[in-house]
Amino acid sequence: MTNPSPKISVIIPIYNAENYLSRCIESIIFQDYSALEIICIDDGSKDQSLNILRKFANKDKRIKIFSQFNQGASYARNNGLKHATGDYISFVDADDYIAQGLYSYFAKQISNEPVDIFMFNGSICTPATKEIKPSCFFSPQRFNHHILPTETFDCKSIPGLFYCSVGVWNKIFNHEFLNKHKIKFIEDNHFEDIPFNFACFCYAKKIKLTYDDYYFYMQENPLSVTKLFGKNAFEIFEVFANLDKTAEKAGLKEYFAYALFQHKYEKINELIHKANPNIRKRFYEKGQKLLSETEKHLNKNIYHKLKHYSIANNIINNNFDDFWGATFLLSHQDSFLATKPKDPMFSVIVPFYNVEQYIEDCLRSILAQTYDNFEVICVDDGSPDKSIDIVKRYANQDKRIKIISQQNKGLGGARNTGAQEAKGQFLFFVDSDDWLHPNTLEKLHHQIIQDPKDIYLFGFCTIQDKTKTFAPEKLALFLSSINPTNWKDLIPIMFIYSTAWCKIYNRTFWKKNKFEFPEKVCFEDLCLNTQILINSNSLGFVPNNLYYYRIRQNSIMQSEMSEKKISDLFLAFDSTYEYIKKIPDFHLLKKAFFHFTYNALMLHKNKINPNLLSVFFSKIKTSSLWIDISTILSNDETNKLFAIHNVNSATGGVL
């Protein structure tokens, strides 16, 4: 039998907490449990915190005050451990507080058996909004077999336990256990909780918990050290090394290998977005190197199944600029412009239809641009969902946004409407489920000032909406390698990158040639893009990936091919072919166009419902360019195109 009333040492590190300290102390001294010593470590506070502590100490002899020069929370907690005489240790931060009954409940739960660690839940409180999120530290869903409060367990029950709950303030630790394993906080490190917790979980044989909320963690305290992520962000790498060393010393290196890898990439990702801009790239590259080295020693069949593995994949395989452009919206705080520019450099045209899940990302990325002389023309193409409500909300806050509503005309018709209303020197068509790198317009503007052109091209990344992985396309590299000055330099990729959104267009050039997208059809970019490039007198490029193209299964381009889409596809091929046949330089384009068409047919064949394959193959046979294409194809290529299972039944005997 253990002592029914174990002595608990409550350790409180304090630095400039005068606005919160009284609430914290009162939540402890008024507990219905008296066997407490309250160790207050004043970490060189410059406000009235020390005077507040002395007033409480004069009334309650359980309070012990120790002062030190300002050295941080880790020093203060270690100092508290040196002075603690209790059987158990409880850490409480000075700006937080605990609920009534915590320590009496704890004593009851361990009355028959001592534990190494006792865990309890808590709420996150945001004073600015008065929002309270209960049960935030852990939940039954995060445990592999829903551990009950009556159970005693250890880390072998939950491999990811240490990063399910990394704070020390929602736990009570056995003092003798800490001393036996010489567990203390890393000093001069902002992330001291992580290695302390990990060491405890590695060595603990008896852990108990309750899912009840007993701790109130105050978020957005402007003086809280958790708000500071300057150069101290790099301290996390010391923590990672410490975790590896602890796991090896405890004989758990292999056991924790994958959980530690996941912890590393999740923490690196978090800190990239919380770090100051001046260190962000350097921190990213250090994290990238660490993850790349760690990955080499792991079994890919295992780590590919880890939760949020796409984060590691994205960091390891991409440079900082591409990564940041793909993820900066996670941490960006919206800011709005109260005035509309009189002479905008750019008209950003955003047609939208049924994109309520995505359009907010698109608009936020546009309004977050580091160059602000632009207008945003949002064209509601008869969208029946709540997209318009989202756009109106943003338009009410930022005067650069103009909304135009029309009956459904398709993407091409909506773009035409936007182009007609545009006032900017350059037109920029952005699809409403995509987004921009925050430096996109600044880089484009810099290029325009240096070297004005009719058209500018730039690179992009594709984003898999389902897996959240992204990858840069080869356009930017290709442009850099050839340094194009006219459309003939682009022939190898001219039809492959025929989309409107990886280019910007001089509006004077656009109006002079009376360019218009075909309306109410898919694949509207191909023919018009070909005409635009051939008619341009000059073109330039920016050798960066500035656009993020989201690939989602229910989008216009990724969804299954209907009979109308099949007709639209061949209409795009035929109209483009008829156009290029008439130009003097047709012989330069012929082979590139034919190979593009063949590859596109192969790609789209896989998206066609078997019931419509007969329509698809019939369109090929009757297409005006098929005979010409077939003359340059090998028999093997032709057979691949027409090769399908059960040909006669699937095609109705057309072939």
Side-chain angles (χ1 to χ4, degrees):
M1 294 288 288
T2 189
N3 184 354
S5 299
K7 183 178 179 181
I8 301 172
S9 298
V10 184
I11 298 174
I12 312 171
I14 299 144
Y15 178 74
N16 288 359
E18 62 180 9
N19 294 330
Y20 315 96
L21 188 55
S22 294
R23 179 184 60 195
C24 174
I25 299 293
E26 288 171 354
S27 75
I28 298 168
I29 63 176
F30 293 131
Q31 288 287 312
D32 56 352
Y33 189 82
S34 59
L36 302 174
E37 68 172 355
I38 305 167
I39 299 175
C40 300
I41 309 296
D42 175 40
D43 189 35
S45 294
K46 298 177 181 178
D47 64 355
Q48 294 298 310
S49 294
L50 187 56
N51 290 332
I52 294 170
L53 288 175
R54 287 169 177 162
K55 289 180 181 179
F56 276 106
N58 288 335
K59 298 177 182 179
D60 194 317
K61 299 306 178 184
R62 296 175 299 175
I63 297 176
K64 302 176 182 179
I65 303 172
F66 301 91
S67 294
Q68 64 180 35
F69 293 112
N70 180 245
Q71 298 174 84
S74 57
Y75 279 96
R77 286 171 174 165
N78 283 339
N79 196 0
L81 286 170
K82 290 177 185 176
H83 292 95
T85 62
D87 303 300
Y88 285 89
I89 304 294
S90 174
F91 297 100
V92 179
D93 284 356
D95 51 353
D96 303 336
Y97 62 100
I98 60 175
Q100 179 61 251
L102 167 61
Y103 298 127
S104 59
Y105 178 83
F106 161 72
K108 182 179 178 181
Q109 292 302 107
I110 66 162
S111 60
N112 295 321
E113 180 184 24
V115 297
D116 297 324
I117 306 171
F118 180 77
M119 301 170 58
F120 46 93
N121 223 325
S123 300
I124 294 178
C125 308
T126 307
T129 61
K130 298 183 179 179
E131 182 182 12
I132 298 178
K133 297 179 181 178
S135 303
C136 286
F137 298 144
F138 55 86
S139 66
Q141 290 73 28
R142 298 188 75 168
F143 294 87
N144 57 0
H145 67 284
H146 294 207
I147 291 173
L148 301 174
T150 54
E151 292 185 66
T152 301
F153 62 97
D154 62 15
C155 69
K156 291 293 182 72
S157 303
I158 312 168
L161 175 64
F162 73 94
Y163 64 86
C164 284
S165 180
V166 297
V168 296
W169 15 258
N170 69 320
K171 302 173 186 71
I172 298 174
F173 302 92
N174 187 304
H175 197 179
E176 184 181 353
F177 162 76
L178 295 179
N179 288 334
K180 176 183 177 180
H181 296 286
K182 299 179 181 179
I183 299 173
K184 63 178 184 177
F185 293 92
I186 296 179
E187 295 180 344
D188 293 319
N189 193 295
H190 183 75
F191 307 99
E192 72 277 357
D193 287 9
I194 298 173
F196 185 94
N197 269 306
F198 184 63
C200 288
F201 288 135
C202 280
Y203 292 111
K205 302 301 181 185
K206 296 179 180 180
I207 306 173
K208 294 191 77 170
L209 59 74
T210 176
Y211 295 106
D212 295 336
D213 288 10
Y214 279 107
Y215 197 91
F216 293 90
Y217 177 81
M218 307 306 291
Q219 207 170 48
E220 295 185 2
N221 168 10
L223 298 176
S224 172
V225 293
T226 58
K227 298 285 287 184
L228 306 176
F229 288 103
K231 291 182 180 179
N232 53 8
F234 288 92
E235 294 167 7
I236 195 65
F237 296 105
E238 178 190 8
V239 168
F240 293 153
N242 181 280
L243 299 183
D244 291 337
K245 185 178 179 180
T246 299
E248 185 169 13
K249 185 178 178 181
L252 296 168
K253 180 180 178 180
E254 296 299 323
Y255 178 74
F256 274 127
Y258 297 93
L260 281 172
F261 182 56
Q262 180 178 335
H263 174 65
K264 288 171 184 175
Y265 64 68
E266 288 184 340
K267 200 66 184 177
I268 288 169
N269 181 62
E270 175 192 339
L271 292 174
I272 289 167
H273 293 91
K274 290 183 177 179
N276 291 334
N278 60 327
I279 64 144
R280 194 175 283 140
K281 182 176 181 181
R282 190 158 49 94
F283 181 87
Y284 176 87
E285 290 172 348
K286 188 174 179 66
Q288 183 182 55
K289 182 179 180 180
L290 174 68
L291 295 178
S292 298
E293 287 298 319
T294 306
E295 187 187 46
K296 292 177 183 178
H297 305 289
L298 301 177
N299 184 328
K300 69 177 182 180
N301 293 324
I302 298 176
Y303 70 67
H304 280 177
K305 297 177 182 178
L306 291 174
K307 189 176 182 182
H308 306 141
Y309 172 70
S310 61
I311 293 172
N313 182 75
N314 291 337
I315 294 174
I316 291 170
N317 295 313
N318 293 281
N319 64 41
F320 171 74
D321 282 340
D322 290 343
F323 177 88
W324 184 245
T327 63
F328 82 101
L329 287 174
L330 296 174
S331 56
H332 170 71
Q333 297 296 315
D334 292 334
S335 59
F336 303 101
L337 205 64
T339 57
K340 181 178 181 179
K342 293 181 180 180
D343 299 303
M345 173 61 71
F346 301 100
S347 292
V348 185
I349 298 166
V350 185
F352 63 93
Y353 181 84
N354 277 10
V355 284
E356 62 184 11
Q357 289 179 272
Y358 308 104
I359 195 165
E360 191 160 10
D361 284 347
C362 178
L363 292 177
R364 290 183 67 216
S365 77
I366 297 169
L367 300 180
Q369 291 298 301
T370 53
Y371 176 84
D372 63 9
N373 185 24
F374 61 88
E375 63 176 356
V376 188
I377 301 174
C378 296
V379 183
D380 174 20
D381 194 35
S383 186
D385 70 349
K386 296 179 181 178
S387 298
I388 185 64
D389 297 330
I390 297 169
V391 178
K392 284 181 178 178
R393 174 160 54 86
Y394 275 86
N396 287 337
Q397 298 177 84
D398 198 302
K399 300 306 178 185
R400 291 172 293 185
I401 298 177
K402 179 179 181 179
I403 303 174
I404 302 171
S405 294
Q406 65 181 31
Q407 291 184 342
N408 183 260
K409 294 182 180 181
L411 184 57
R415 285 174 174 167
N416 291 337
T417 299
Q420 291 164 8
E421 294 291 326
K423 300 293 188 292
Q425 294 181 40
F426 281 82
L427 305 177
F428 191 170
F429 299 101
V430 177
D431 286 358
S432 52
D433 51 354
D434 301 336
W435 68 92
L436 307 180
H437 191 286
N439 297 332
T440 298
L441 297 185
E442 182 177 351
K443 287 184 179 295
L444 289 169
H445 177 252
H446 179 73
Q447 203 73 3
I448 290 167
I449 296 302
Q450 284 191 327
D451 191 18
K453 303 289 186 182
D454 290 338
I455 306 170
Y456 290 90
L457 295 84
F458 45 87
F460 64 98
C461 293
T462 56
I463 311 281
Q464 296 291 338
D465 193 44
K466 186 175 181 180
T467 63
K468 307 304 179 187
T469 56
F470 65 90
E473 288 294 313
K474 296 178 180 179
L475 178 56
L477 287 174
F478 179 81
L479 294 173
S480 298
S481 67
I482 64 170
N483 193 20
T485 58
N486 60 69
W487 68 268
K488 293 178 183 177
D489 296 329
L490 298 175
I491 288 175
I493 63 161
M494 185 168 170
F495 305 107
I496 298 171
Y497 297 111
S498 59
T499 55
W501 41 256
C502 59
K503 308 171 186 69
I504 60 168
Y505 310 91
N506 186 299
R507 188 165 64 90
T508 302
F509 161 69
W510 184 279
K511 289 176 66 177
K512 176 183 176 182
N513 288 276
K514 299 180 180 179
F515 292 129
E516 282 193 342
F517 292 94
E519 299 185 356
K520 294 190 175 181
V521 295
C522 299
F523 313 104
E524 69 288 330
D525 292 351
L526 180 59
C527 187
L528 181 62
N529 182 75
T530 304
Q531 294 177 37
I532 292 171
L533 288 174
I534 290 174
N535 280 278
S536 63
N537 294 314
S538 60
L539 62 87
F541 73 98
V542 177
N544 301 96
N545 297 316
L546 304 179
Y547 192 95
Y548 293 83
Y549 174 71
R550 191 195 305 259
I551 299 175
R552 55 188 179 94
Q553 289 186 324
N554 61 339
S555 69
I556 295 173
M557 294 307 298
Q558 301 304 318
S559 58
E560 189 176 84
M561 293 284 285
S562 64
E563 187 167 352
K564 182 184 183 305
K565 283 180 69 175
I566 293 172
S567 296
D568 290 348
L569 176 64
F570 283 94
L571 176 63
F573 289 154
D574 290 341
S575 58
T576 304
Y577 187 47
E578 291 302 314
Y579 179 79
I580 63 175
K581 278 199 305 186
K582 297 174 183 177
I583 67 169
D585 294 308
F586 171 60
H587 63 285
L588 299 176
L589 289 169
K590 181 178 179 180
K591 189 172 182 179
F593 181 69
F594 286 174
H595 278 294
F596 163 76
T597 304
Y598 168 76
N599 290 329
L601 290 171
M602 289 289 291
L603 173 67
H604 288 291
K605 183 182 76 168
N606 298 324
K607 299 179 184 178
I608 296 173
N609 186 298
N611 295 329
L612 292 175
L613 281 171
S614 60
V615 175
F616 179 74
F617 290 120
S618 176
K619 288 286 186 182
I620 293 177
K621 289 293 188 180
T622 57
S623 170
S624 63
L625 73 156
W626 174 250
I627 294 176
D628 290 339
I629 292 177
S630 61
T631 61
I632 70 164
L633 295 180
S634 66
N635 289 334
D636 183 56
E637 289 175 315
T638 305
N639 291 337
K640 282 182 180 178
L641 178 59
F642 288 103
I644 55 171
H645 295 293
N646 196 6
V647 172
N648 288 331
S649 61
T651 63
V654 169
L655 300 182

mmCIF file of all heavy atoms in Angstrom, residues 554-583:
data_model
loop_
_atom_site.group_PDB
_atom_site.id
_atom_site.type_symbol
_atom_site.label_atom_id
_atom_site.label_comp_id
_atom_site.label_asym_id
_atom_site.label_seq_id
_atom_site.Cartn_x
_atom_site.Cartn_y
_atom_site.Cartn_z
ATOM 1 N N ASN A 554 -12.556 15.504 -58.804
ATOM 2 C CA ASN A 554 -13.848 15.984 -59.292
ATOM 3 C C ASN A 554 -13.743 17.268 -60.107
ATOM 4 O O ASN A 554 -14.738 17.929 -60.372
ATOM 5 C CB ASN A 554 -14.810 16.213 -58.117
ATOM 6 C CG ASN A 554 -14.284 17.254 -57.140
ATOM 7 O OD1 ASN A 554 -13.086 17.524 -57.092
ATOM 8 N ND2 ASN A 554 -15.178 17.835 -56.357
ATOM 9 N N SER A 555 -12.529 17.629 -60.515
ATOM 10 C CA SER A 555 -12.370 18.833 -61.332
ATOM 11 C C SER A 555 -12.787 18.549 -62.772
ATOM 12 O O SER A 555 -12.953 17.394 -63.181
ATOM 13 C CB SER A 555 -10.923 19.316 -61.305
ATOM 14 O OG SER A 555 -10.084 18.406 -61.992
ATOM 15 N N ILE A 556 -12.903 19.618 -63.555
ATOM 16 C CA ILE A 556 -13.314 19.470 -64.954
ATOM 17 C C ILE A 556 -12.343 18.573 -65.699
ATOM 18 O O ILE A 556 -12.721 17.680 -66.444
ATOM 19 C CB ILE A 556 -13.386 20.854 -65.643
ATOM 20 C CG1 ILE A 556 -14.493 21.700 -65.013
ATOM 21 C CG2 ILE A 556 -13.642 20.699 -67.139
ATOM 22 C CD1 ILE A 556 -14.522 23.135 -65.511
ATOM 23 N N MET A 557 -11.043 18.782 -65.484
ATOM 24 C CA MET A 557 -10.038 18.074 -66.268
ATOM 25 C C MET A 557 -9.782 16.654 -65.775
ATOM 26 O O MET A 557 -9.378 15.790 -66.540
ATOM 27 C CB MET A 557 -8.723 18.858 -66.271
ATOM 28 C CG MET A 557 -8.823 20.197 -66.986
ATOM 29 S SD MET A 557 -9.490 20.058 -68.664
ATOM 30 C CE MET A 557 -8.258 19.042 -69.453
ATOM 31 N N GLN A 558 -10.012 16.396 -64.487
ATOM 32 C CA GLN A 558 -9.661 15.084 -63.932
ATOM 33 C C GLN A 558 -10.840 14.118 -63.873
ATOM 34 O O GLN A 558 -10.648 12.923 -63.678
ATOM 35 C CB GLN A 558 -9.085 15.261 -62.521
ATOM 36 C CG GLN A 558 -7.848 16.125 -62.472
ATOM 37 C CD GLN A 558 -6.736 15.628 -63.369
ATOM 38 O OE1 GLN A 558 -6.470 14.430 -63.444
ATOM 39 N NE2 GLN A 558 -6.067 16.547 -64.060
ATOM 40 N N SER A 559 -12.051 14.615 -64.031
ATOM 41 C CA SER A 559 -13.222 13.741 -63.948
ATOM 42 C C SER A 559 -13.337 12.877 -65.202
ATOM 43 O O SER A 559 -12.706 13.130 -66.229
ATOM 44 C CB SER A 559 -14.492 14.568 -63.753
ATOM 45 O OG SER A 559 -14.645 15.499 -64.808
ATOM 46 N N GLU A 560 -14.168 11.870 -65.116
ATOM 47 C CA GLU A 560 -14.335 10.913 -66.219
ATOM 48 C C GLU A 560 -14.828 11.615 -67.485
ATOM 49 O O GLU A 560 -15.596 12.563 -67.435
ATOM 50 C CB GLU A 560 -15.345 9.838 -65.791
ATOM 51 C CG GLU A 560 -15.458 8.680 -66.745
ATOM 52 C CD GLU A 560 -16.397 7.596 -66.227
ATOM 53 O OE1 GLU A 560 -17.621 7.737 -66.430
ATOM 54 O OE2 GLU A 560 -15.914 6.627 -65.620
ATOM 55 N N MET A 561 -14.355 11.127 -68.625
ATOM 56 C CA MET A 561 -14.724 11.723 -69.915
ATOM 57 C C MET A 561 -16.164 11.374 -70.283
ATOM 58 O O MET A 561 -16.502 10.202 -70.469
ATOM 59 C CB MET A 561 -13.782 11.218 -71.000
ATOM 60 C CG MET A 561 -12.344 11.677 -70.850
ATOM 61 S SD MET A 561 -12.091 13.395 -71.320
ATOM 62 C CE MET A 561 -12.172 13.276 -73.097
ATOM 63 N N SER A 562 -17.002 12.388 -70.405
ATOM 64 C CA SER A 562 -18.371 12.198 -70.886
ATOM 65 C C SER A 562 -18.378 12.280 -72.411
ATOM 66 O O SER A 562 -17.356 12.600 -73.038
ATOM 67 C CB SER A 562 -19.276 13.283 -70.310
ATOM 68 O OG SER A 562 -18.862 14.568 -70.791
ATOM 69 N N GLU A 563 -19.530 12.025 -73.024
ATOM 70 C CA GLU A 563 -19.614 12.109 -74.482
ATOM 71 C C GLU A 563 -19.358 13.537 -74.951
ATOM 72 O O GLU A 563 -18.704 13.757 -75.983
ATOM 73 C CB GLU A 563 -20.985 11.628 -74.957
ATOM 74 C CG GLU A 563 -21.089 11.517 -76.472
ATOM 75 C CD GLU A 563 -22.325 10.756 -76.927
ATOM 76 O OE1 GLU A 563 -23.021 10.182 -76.078
ATOM 77 O OE2 GLU A 563 -22.580 10.741 -78.147
ATOM 78 N N LYS A 564 -19.856 14.529 -74.186
ATOM 79 C CA LYS A 564 -19.608 15.927 -74.559
ATOM 80 C C LYS A 564 -18.121 16.262 -74.457
ATOM 81 O O LYS A 564 -17.561 16.937 -75.337
ATOM 82 C CB LYS A 564 -20.401 16.879 -73.672
ATOM 83 C CG LYS A 564 -20.197 18.359 -74.055
ATOM 84 C CD LYS A 564 -20.916 19.290 -73.122
ATOM 85 C CE LYS A 564 -20.749 20.743 -73.581
ATOM 86 N NZ LYS A 564 -19.350 21.156 -73.745
ATOM 87 N N LYS A 565 -17.467 15.789 -73.395
ATOM 88 C CA LYS A 565 -16.038 16.078 -73.246
ATOM 89 C C LYS A 565 -15.225 15.426 -74.364
ATOM 90 O O LYS A 565 -14.228 15.992 -74.818
ATOM 91 C CB LYS A 565 -15.545 15.612 -71.876
ATOM 92 C CG LYS A 565 -15.950 16.542 -70.732
ATOM 93 C CD LYS A 565 -15.455 16.050 -69.391
ATOM 94 C CE LYS A 565 -13.962 16.151 -69.257
ATOM 95 N NZ LYS A 565 -13.486 15.793 -67.903
ATOM 96 N N ILE A 566 -15.658 14.245 -74.794
ATOM 97 C CA ILE A 566 -14.978 13.599 -75.926
ATOM 98 C C ILE A 566 -15.114 14.471 -77.170
ATOM 99 O O ILE A 566 -14.139 14.718 -77.891
ATOM 100 C CB ILE A 566 -15.559 12.192 -76.182
ATOM 101 C CG1 ILE A 566 -15.227 11.263 -75.011
ATOM 102 C CG2 ILE A 566 -15.001 11.612 -77.487
ATOM 103 C CD1 ILE A 566 -15.924 9.918 -75.078
ATOM 104 N N SER A 567 -16.319 14.985 -77.410
ATOM 105 C CA SER A 567 -16.538 15.864 -78.568
ATOM 106 C C SER A 567 -15.717 17.140 -78.453
ATOM 107 O O SER A 567 -15.132 17.609 -79.435
ATOM 108 C CB SER A 567 -18.031 16.207 -78.684
ATOM 109 O OG SER A 567 -18.792 15.055 -78.944
ATOM 110 N N ASP A 568 -15.668 17.703 -77.224
ATOM 111 C CA ASP A 568 -14.893 18.931 -77.004
ATOM 112 C C ASP A 568 -13.404 18.699 -77.235
ATOM 113 O O ASP A 568 -12.700 19.562 -77.771
ATOM 114 C CB ASP A 568 -15.114 19.445 -75.578
ATOM 115 C CG ASP A 568 -16.508 20.002 -75.353
ATOM 116 O OD1 ASP A 568 -17.233 20.201 -76.345
ATOM 117 O OD2 ASP A 568 -16.860 20.232 -74.175
ATOM 118 N N LEU A 569 -12.917 17.533 -76.833
ATOM 119 C CA LEU A 569 -11.511 17.209 -77.014
ATOM 120 C C LEU A 569 -11.140 17.205 -78.500
ATOM 121 O O LEU A 569 -10.147 17.818 -78.909
ATOM 122 C CB LEU A 569 -11.204 15.843 -76.394
ATOM 123 C CG LEU A 569 -9.777 15.315 -76.578
ATOM 124 C CD1 LEU A 569 -8.768 16.209 -75.868
ATOM 125 C CD2 LEU A 569 -9.667 13.873 -76.070
ATOM 126 N N PHE A 570 -11.961 16.546 -79.313
ATOM 127 C CA PHE A 570 -11.647 16.473 -80.744
ATOM 128 C C PHE A 570 -11.904 17.802 -81.443
ATOM 129 O O PHE A 570 -11.226 18.142 -82.414
ATOM 130 C CB PHE A 570 -12.446 15.335 -81.395
ATOM 131 C CG PHE A 570 -11.866 13.988 -81.093
ATOM 132 C CD1 PHE A 570 -12.329 13.237 -80.027
ATOM 133 C CD2 PHE A 570 -10.813 13.493 -81.848
ATOM 134 C CE1 PHE A 570 -11.779 12.009 -79.726
ATOM 135 C CE2 PHE A 570 -10.254 12.257 -81.559
ATOM 136 C CZ PHE A 570 -10.732 11.512 -80.495
ATOM 137 N N LEU A 571 -12.838 18.583 -80.918
ATOM 138 C CA LEU A 571 -13.036 19.925 -81.453
ATOM 139 C C LEU A 571 -11.781 20.768 -81.227
ATOM 140 O O LEU A 571 -11.346 21.511 -82.125
ATOM 141 C CB LEU A 571 -14.239 20.590 -80.772
ATOM 142 C CG LEU A 571 -14.511 22.053 -81.159
ATOM 143 C CD1 LEU A 571 -14.841 22.172 -82.653
ATOM 144 C CD2 LEU A 571 -15.652 22.628 -80.313
ATOM 145 N N ALA A 572 -11.173 20.636 -80.037
ATOM 146 C CA ALA A 572 -9.940 21.379 -79.735
ATOM 147 C C ALA A 572 -8.801 20.937 -80.650
ATOM 148 O O ALA A 572 -8.059 21.774 -81.187
ATOM 149 C CB ALA A 572 -9.563 21.169 -78.267
ATOM 150 N N PHE A 573 -8.659 19.612 -80.837
ATOM 151 C CA PHE A 573 -7.619 19.111 -81.737
ATOM 152 C C PHE A 573 -7.819 19.623 -83.162
ATOM 153 O O PHE A 573 -6.902 20.139 -83.810
ATOM 154 C CB PHE A 573 -7.622 17.583 -81.759
ATOM 155 C CG PHE A 573 -7.122 16.939 -80.495
ATOM 156 C CD1 PHE A 573 -7.534 15.665 -80.145
ATOM 157 C CD2 PHE A 573 -6.231 17.595 -79.665
ATOM 158 C CE1 PHE A 573 -7.066 15.058 -78.996
ATOM 159 C CE2 PHE A 573 -5.757 16.994 -78.508
ATOM 160 C CZ PHE A 573 -6.183 15.724 -78.170
ATOM 161 N N ASP A 574 -9.052 19.456 -83.665
ATOM 162 C CA ASP A 574 -9.329 19.792 -85.064
ATOM 163 C C ASP A 574 -9.182 21.282 -85.333
ATOM 164 O O ASP A 574 -8.605 21.689 -86.348
ATOM 165 C CB ASP A 574 -10.742 19.332 -85.447
ATOM 166 C CG ASP A 574 -10.857 17.811 -85.532
ATOM 167 O OD1 ASP A 574 -9.804 17.152 -85.658
ATOM 168 O OD2 ASP A 574 -11.986 17.294 -85.452
ATOM 169 N N SER A 575 -9.701 22.124 -84.409
ATOM 170 C CA SER A 575 -9.618 23.573 -84.633
ATOM 171 C C SER A 575 -8.169 24.054 -84.567
ATOM 172 O O SER A 575 -7.764 24.940 -85.339
ATOM 173 C CB SER A 575 -10.488 24.321 -83.609
ATOM 174 O OG SER A 575 -10.093 24.013 -82.287
ATOM 175 N N THR A 576 -7.388 23.482 -83.667
ATOM 176 C CA THR A 576 -5.968 23.838 -83.583
ATOM 177 C C THR A 576 -5.238 23.416 -84.857
ATOM 178 O O THR A 576 -4.430 24.173 -85.413
ATOM 179 C CB THR A 576 -5.315 23.174 -82.358
ATOM 180 O OG1 THR A 576 -6.042 23.536 -81.176
ATOM 181 C CG2 THR A 576 -3.859 23.609 -82.216
ATOM 182 N N TYR A 577 -5.548 22.217 -85.333
ATOM 183 C CA TYR A 577 -4.903 21.704 -86.545
ATOM 184 C C TYR A 577 -5.249 22.569 -87.757
ATOM 185 O O TYR A 577 -4.383 22.921 -88.574
ATOM 186 C CB TYR A 577 -5.328 20.258 -86.773
ATOM 187 C CG TYR A 577 -4.594 19.572 -87.902
ATOM 188 C CD1 TYR A 577 -3.208 19.659 -88.023
ATOM 189 C CD2 TYR A 577 -5.290 18.833 -88.856
ATOM 190 C CE1 TYR A 577 -2.535 19.030 -89.052
ATOM 191 C CE2 TYR A 577 -4.625 18.193 -89.885
ATOM 192 C CZ TYR A 577 -3.249 18.296 -89.985
ATOM 193 O OH TYR A 577 -2.588 17.670 -91.006
ATOM 194 N N GLU A 578 -6.522 22.939 -87.872
ATOM 195 C CA GLU A 578 -6.939 23.780 -88.994
ATOM 196 C C GLU A 578 -6.224 25.128 -88.956
ATOM 197 O O GLU A 578 -5.885 25.693 -89.997
ATOM 198 C CB GLU A 578 -8.456 23.987 -88.965
ATOM 199 C CG GLU A 578 -9.259 22.739 -89.282
ATOM 200 C CD GLU A 578 -8.901 22.161 -90.652
ATOM 201 O OE1 GLU A 578 -8.808 22.949 -91.626
ATOM 202 O OE2 GLU A 578 -8.691 20.936 -90.743
ATOM 203 N N TYR A 579 -5.986 25.646 -87.745
ATOM 204 C CA TYR A 579 -5.312 26.938 -87.622
ATOM 205 C C TYR A 579 -3.841 26.835 -88.029
ATOM 206 O O TYR A 579 -3.348 27.644 -88.830
ATOM 207 C CB TYR A 579 -5.430 27.465 -86.193
ATOM 208 C CG TYR A 579 -4.729 28.786 -86.006
ATOM 209 C CD1 TYR A 579 -5.320 29.981 -86.419
ATOM 210 C CD2 TYR A 579 -3.446 28.846 -85.454
ATOM 211 C CE1 TYR A 579 -4.654 31.192 -86.286
ATOM 212 C CE2 TYR A 579 -2.784 30.048 -85.314
ATOM 213 C CZ TYR A 579 -3.398 31.225 -85.736
ATOM 214 O OH TYR A 579 -2.737 32.419 -85.610
ATOM 215 N N ILE A 580 -3.118 25.853 -87.476
ATOM 216 C CA ILE A 580 -1.673 25.799 -87.746
ATOM 217 C C ILE A 580 -1.378 25.381 -89.188
ATOM 218 O O ILE A 580 -0.298 25.690 -89.714
ATOM 219 C CB ILE A 580 -0.941 24.869 -86.748
ATOM 220 C CG1 ILE A 580 -1.416 23.424 -86.868
ATOM 221 C CG2 ILE A 580 -1.098 25.372 -85.320
ATOM 222 C CD1 ILE A 580 -0.618 22.461 -85.990
ATOM 223 N N LYS A 581 -2.317 24.685 -89.847
ATOM 224 C CA LYS A 581 -2.098 24.306 -91.248
ATOM 225 C C LYS A 581 -1.990 25.528 -92.160
ATOM 226 O O LYS A 581 -1.379 25.474 -93.222
ATOM 227 C CB LYS A 581 -3.241 23.410 -91.751
ATOM 228 C CG LYS A 581 -3.092 21.946 -91.378
ATOM 229 C CD LYS A 581 -3.955 21.031 -92.247
ATOM 230 C CE LYS A 581 -5.410 21.418 -92.230
ATOM 231 N NZ LYS A 581 -6.248 20.429 -92.964
ATOM 232 N N LYS A 582 -2.591 26.638 -91.734
ATOM 233 C CA LYS A 582 -2.662 27.830 -92.576
ATOM 234 C C LYS A 582 -1.447 28.750 -92.414
ATOM 235 O O LYS A 582 -1.304 29.714 -93.173
ATOM 236 C CB LYS A 582 -3.930 28.616 -92.250
ATOM 237 C CG LYS A 582 -5.212 27.842 -92.541
ATOM 238 C CD LYS A 582 -6.430 28.623 -92.059
ATOM 239 C CE LYS A 582 -7.712 27.822 -92.271
ATOM 240 N NZ LYS A 582 -8.904 28.529 -91.741
ATOM 241 N N ILE A 583 -0.609 28.488 -91.436
ATOM 242 C CA ILE A 583 0.513 29.405 -91.228
ATOM 243 C C ILE A 583 1.720 28.942 -92.045
ATOM 244 O O ILE A 583 1.890 27.749 -92.311
ATOM 245 C CB ILE A 583 0.886 29.514 -89.731
ATOM 246 C CG1 ILE A 583 1.463 28.192 -89.214
ATOM 247 C CG2 ILE A 583 -0.317 29.929 -88.897
ATOM 248 C CD1 ILE A 583 2.078 28.315 -87.833
#
